[in-house]
Amino acid sequence: LLNLGVITEGIMNKSSVTVSYTKKNGYKKEWLCSLSPICNLANELMGHIIVASDITEYKRQQEKLQQQEKLALIGQTASGII
Protein backbone atom coordinates (compact mmCIF):
# COMPACT_ATOMS: atom_id res chain seq x y z
CA LEU A 1 0.00 0.00 0.00
CA LEU A 2 2.61 2.57 1.06
CA ASN A 3 6.27 2.62 0.04
CA LEU A 4 8.04 2.13 3.38
CA GLY A 5 11.38 3.20 1.90
CA VAL A 6 9.97 6.62 1.07
CA ILE A 7 8.40 6.93 4.51
CA THR A 8 11.57 6.03 6.39
CA GLU A 9 13.70 8.36 4.25
CA GLY A 10 11.27 11.20 4.90
CA ILE A 11 11.22 10.84 8.69
CA MET A 12 14.74 9.78 9.63
CA ASN A 13 15.47 13.36 10.74
CA LYS A 14 11.92 14.29 11.80
CA SER A 15 9.44 12.91 14.29
CA SER A 16 6.70 12.50 11.67
CA VAL A 17 5.83 13.15 8.04
CA THR A 18 2.62 13.37 6.01
CA VAL A 19 2.38 10.92 3.11
CA SER A 20 -0.18 11.28 0.31
CA TYR A 21 -1.40 8.31 -1.69
CA THR A 22 -3.72 8.54 -4.69
CA LYS A 23 -5.61 5.39 -5.66
CA LYS A 24 -6.18 4.41 -9.29
CA ASN A 25 -9.75 5.74 -9.05
CA GLY A 26 -8.39 9.18 -8.10
CA TYR A 27 -9.33 8.97 -4.41
CA LYS A 28 -6.59 10.61 -2.32
CA LYS A 29 -5.60 9.29 1.11
CA GLU A 30 -3.28 11.06 3.53
CA TRP A 31 -1.33 9.44 6.34
CA LEU A 32 0.65 10.88 9.26
CA CYS A 33 3.61 8.53 9.75
CA SER A 34 5.93 8.37 12.76
CA LEU A 35 9.14 6.38 13.10
CA SER A 36 10.42 5.17 16.47
CA PRO A 37 13.52 3.14 17.30
CA ILE A 38 13.29 -0.22 19.04
CA CYS A 39 16.21 -0.85 21.42
CA ASN A 40 17.15 -3.79 23.64
CA LEU A 41 18.06 -3.53 27.34
CA ALA A 42 21.66 -2.64 26.38
CA ASN A 43 20.25 0.30 24.40
CA GLU A 44 21.35 -1.27 21.10
CA LEU A 45 19.19 -0.48 18.11
CA MET A 46 17.23 -3.57 17.11
CA GLY A 47 14.96 -1.99 14.50
CA HIS A 48 12.25 0.58 14.00
CA ILE A 49 8.50 0.73 14.18
CA ILE A 50 6.38 2.87 11.88
CA VAL A 51 2.96 4.04 13.02
CA ALA A 52 0.65 5.43 10.31
CA SER A 53 -2.58 7.28 11.08
CA ASP A 54 -5.18 8.01 8.39
CA ILE A 55 -5.73 11.79 8.50
CA THR A 56 -7.68 12.04 5.23
CA GLU A 57 -10.95 13.18 6.78
CA TYR A 58 -9.19 15.60 9.12
CA LYS A 59 -7.41 17.22 6.14
CA ARG A 60 -10.69 17.46 4.19
CA GLN A 61 -12.44 19.15 7.11
CA GLN A 62 -9.49 21.52 7.53
CA GLU A 63 -9.63 22.51 3.83
CA LYS A 64 -13.42 22.97 4.06
CA LEU A 65 -13.05 25.27 7.07
CA GLN A 66 -10.38 27.35 5.30
CA GLN A 67 -12.67 27.71 2.26
CA GLN A 68 -15.56 28.82 4.48
CA GLU A 69 -13.32 31.39 6.17
CA LYS A 70 -12.25 32.76 2.76
CA LEU A 71 -15.87 33.04 1.63
CA ALA A 72 -16.84 34.80 4.87
CA LEU A 73 -14.03 37.30 4.39
CA ILE A 74 -15.10 37.94 0.81
CA GLY A 75 -18.70 38.47 2.01
CA GLN A 76 -17.59 40.90 4.72
CA THR A 77 -15.45 42.82 2.22
CA ALA A 78 -18.28 42.97 -0.33
CA SER A 79 -20.80 44.19 2.27
CA GLY A 80 -18.46 47.01 3.24
CA ILE A 81 -18.13 48.15 -0.38
CA ILE A 82 -21.85 48.28 -1.20
Side-chain angles (χ1 to χ4, degrees):
L1 178 65
L2 296 173
N3 184 338
L4 295 181
V6 171
I7 294 171
T8 54
E9 283 179 28
I11 57 179
M12 288 303 282
N13 296 319
K14 300 178 185 177
S15 61
S16 61
V17 67
T18 301
V19 178
S20 296
Y21 174 77
T22 304
K23 294 182 177 184
K24 291 181 182 180
N25 64 3
Y27 186 75
K28 183 178 177 183
K29 298 286 279 181
E30 295 196 51
W31 302 85
L32 180 64
C33 302
S34 301
L35 177 75
S36 299
I38 299 172
C39 299
N40 63 14
L41 293 176
N43 205 27
E44 298 169 329
L45 182 64
M46 302 299 293
H48 292 87
I49 185 166
I50 297 174
V51 177
S53 301
D54 184 351
I55 59 169
T56 306
E57 189 58 33
Y58 170 77
K59 288 288 211 174
R60 286 195 181 115
Q61 292 297 326
Q62 191 177 34
E63 289 172 6
K64 186 177 179 181
L65 178 61
Q66 288 174 348
Q67 183 65 24
Q68 289 173 344
E69 289 172 350
K70 286 179 189 177
L71 292 173
L73 183 59
I74 291 169
Q76 290 172 354
T77 304
S79 66
I81 295 172
I82 298 175

